[in-house]
Amino acid sequence: MHIADLGDVQLHYRVDGDPDGAPVVFANSLGTDLRLWDAVLPLLPAGLKLIRYDLRGHGLSSEPPAPYSMGALIRDAEQLLDFLDIRDCMFVGLSIGGMIAQGLAVKRLDQIRALVLSNTAAKIGTADMWKQRVQAVNQNGIEPLADAIMDRWFARGFRASPDITLWRNMLVQQSAAGYAGCCSAIAGTDFYTPTSGLRLPTLGIAGSEDGATPPDLVRETIDLIPGSSFSLIRKAGHLPCVEQPAEYAALLSRFLDETGHIAKDT
């Protein structure tokens, strides 16, 4: 475990794989921490430098005063990559992490050479919806919302398994203020115009049973970027890297190969 002191925020991050390898950076969804990627990373090809981190107000990162702006979350990622001297990475962002990915690619194309936009969109929900979520969390915490969130996160089969408890616990143990702060960032974000200006290799991933960012919403955003590709993972909800890690890792591995991000003999 490591902490990057970026001034107004201290981000918990972890680096796995080859320290001299081609960098792949992972950004989490709202209400999770960097363990979101635990099942996928061991299935990826050798020779990669795998970087993941906790969003501000999540996991073991610090919790600056909320609310947060999307600009602040993008700046966190930008400063972390500068701190780690990362350039030309493949950036994998899921949900709010995918919004961060879009904003960072617009701002710092030197840092990102390829994008994976997973279960995300240029705009997610409505400002009023997120403001109501913020108000509910500030008043009563995350617990009252947890079961409904599990329904959006996971397909029916996974919700019937004992493992659902792990993810429900991860959600409710997040900081309520940090969670609400990131909800505020989503509320104010509409990236349709800037994302439509992106010109870099992009893979979109959706889950067939995603109740938060349905496949058509994901595809609509991916189609903004010329030359992008889209893949649908069946029997998966909002977190397909948890429910279908082998298929998720296979999609990432193929994209790594197609973009030349890793030598073909590794």
Side-chain angles (χ1 to χ4, degrees):
M1 296 189 295
H2 302 281
I3 285 286
D5 187 349
L6 305 179
D8 69 326
V9 67
Q10 291 75 47
L11 293 184
H12 170 229
Y13 72 94
R14 175 169 174 161
V15 180
D16 294 284
D18 184 346
D20 298 316
V24 183
V25 180
F26 297 84
N28 305 339
S29 61
L30 178 71
T32 67
D33 59 40
L34 56 71
R35 292 174 291 177
L36 179 68
W37 307 101
D38 279 355
V40 168
L41 266 56
L43 305 177
L44 295 176
L48 296 169
K49 183 176 186 176
L50 304 167
I51 301 158
R52 44 190 169 146
Y53 71 101
D54 292 336
L55 303 180
R56 60 168 59 201
H58 284 64
L60 300 181
S61 290
S62 67
E63 182 188 301
Y68 307 143
S69 67
M70 185 58 64
L73 298 180
I74 293 166
R75 188 168 61 251
D76 290 348
E78 175 189 14
Q79 291 182 330
L80 177 64
L81 296 193
D82 280 340
F83 177 84
L84 297 173
D85 196 25
I86 298 298
R87 295 291 183 274
D88 295 321
C89 77
M90 177 177 288
F91 198 105
V92 183
L94 195 152
S95 193
I96 190 174
M99 299 184 110
I100 293 167
Q102 293 169 68
L104 185 60
V106 169
K107 186 178 184 182
R108 290 289 302 272
L109 199 54
D110 61 313
Q111 291 185 336
I112 301 179
R113 67 182 300 267
L115 275 180
V116 178
L117 300 179
S118 179
N119 306 82
T120 191
K123 178 178 173 61
I124 299 176
T126 66
D128 284 345
M129 180 198 86
W130 288 110
K131 289 174 184 175
Q132 290 172 14
R133 178 90 61 92
V134 168
Q135 184 177 23
V137 171
N138 285 338
Q139 288 179 348
N140 301 305
I142 300 172
E143 172 65 40
L145 305 176
D147 289 339
I149 291 172
M150 292 301 103
D151 289 346
R152 293 192 292 272
W153 276 10
F154 297 113
R156 181 174 300 180
F158 189 88
R159 295 200 305 270
S161 74
D163 285 350
I164 190 69
T165 303
L166 298 172
W167 298 95
R168 193 184 191 283
N169 287 346
M170 180 185 289
L171 171 66
V172 300
Q173 289 172 14
Q174 300 299 327
S175 156
Y179 181 93
C182 286
C183 287
S184 296
I186 299 173
T189 300
D190 182 341
F191 278 156
Y192 276 101
T193 298
T195 295
S196 67
L198 289 174
R199 299 294 183 269
L200 76 168
T202 302
L203 168 65
I205 300 176
S208 65
E209 299 181 42
D210 187 342
T213 52
D216 286 349
L217 181 65
V218 180
R219 185 188 289 272
E220 180 182 39
T221 295
I222 302 309
D223 286 347
L224 295 173
I225 305 173
S228 60
S229 59
F230 174 84
S231 293
L232 180 68
I233 298 182
R234 303 282 180 185
K235 297 181 180 179
H238 192 54
L239 308 180
C241 51
V242 173
E243 293 180 274
Q244 305 290 348
E247 185 172 353
Y248 199 94
L251 289 174
L252 294 186
S253 298
R254 187 169 71 221
F255 190 56
L256 285 161
D257 183 58
E258 290 172 351
T259 57
H261 196 61
I262 186 168
K264 293 185 182 294
D265 59 353
T266 57

